[in-house]
């Protein structure tokens, strides 16, 4: 099983980045997949998630209206388009997968049923 992230980098506030997460080794449609982020000194945050089977999406309140998640089952890849980036969006973004039809681990901070996670890609937003 692999989750390979790409697309991180450094951008100025107000800019955009697109993250990709290519999955292999499991049945894509059986999983909810998405992104967590971890910033120094802060709790892990479930940023966004999508149910690959149903297409239902979840967004943290801090990113709603600025980030858009999508998935391509033909490529087994999930994308996160991040617009209007802010310095507080800085952190290590990692892709994760949970065998479920909804984003339980993202929507409930005390619940962790992740099956797989990637190594992460760093996003830095300068002011």
């Amino acid at each position: 099983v692999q989750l390979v992230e790409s697309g991180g980098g450094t951008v100025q506030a107000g800019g955009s980045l697109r993250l990709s997460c290519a999955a292999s080794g499991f049945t894509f449609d059986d999983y909810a997949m998405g992104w967590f982020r971890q910033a120094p000194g802060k709790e892990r945050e479930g940023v966004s998630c999508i149910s690959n089977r149903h297409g239902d999406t979840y967004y943290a309140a801090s990113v709603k209206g600025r980030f858009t998640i999508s998935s391509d089952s033909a490529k087994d890849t999930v994308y996160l388009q991040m617009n209007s980036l802010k310095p507080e969006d800085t952190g290590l973004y990692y892709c994760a997968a949970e065998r479920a039809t909804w984003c339980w681990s993202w929507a409930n901070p005390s619940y962790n049923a992740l099956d797989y996670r990637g190594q992460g890609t760093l996003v830095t937003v300068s002011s």
Side-chain angles (χ1 to χ4, degrees):
V1 172
Q2 277 194 310
L3 295 175
V4 180
E5 303 104 331
S6 61
T10 300
V11 64
Q12 287 191 327
S16 298
L17 285 172
R18 189 194 195 204
L19 305 183
S20 299
C21 174
S24 61
F26 60 91
T27 304
F28 189 76
D29 285 350
D30 286 346
Y31 285 76
M33 289 180 60
W35 302 86
F36 289 85
R37 68 185 177 192
Q38 183 79 57
K42 293 187 177 180
E43 297 281 328
R44 183 187 78 171
E45 181 181 21
V47 175
S48 182
C49 170
I50 186 166
S51 165
N52 288 333
R53 183 170 298 279
H54 300 300
D56 299 323
T57 57
Y58 167 84
Y59 295 97
S62 58
V63 307
K64 199 170 290 185
R66 300 187 295 122
F67 291 10
T68 303
I69 193 168
S70 60
S71 68
D72 185 340
S73 59
K75 297 182 179 180
D76 285 358
T77 299
V78 174
Y79 304 96
L80 185 67
Q81 179 66 43
M82 306 187 294
N83 298 330
S84 302
L85 282 161
K86 304 176 181 180
E88 51 264 42
D89 293 318
T90 293
L92 180 69
Y93 285 68
Y94 64 90
C95 179
E98 176 184 346
R99 187 169 184 176
T101 55
W102 172 237
C103 305
W104 299 107
S105 295
W106 284 259
N108 301 283
S110 61
Y111 183 80
N112 186 356
L114 298 175
D115 292 285
Y116 311 114
R117 62 163 287 179
Q119 293 296 314
T121 185
L122 190 61
V123 171
T124 303
V125 184
S126 60
S127 56

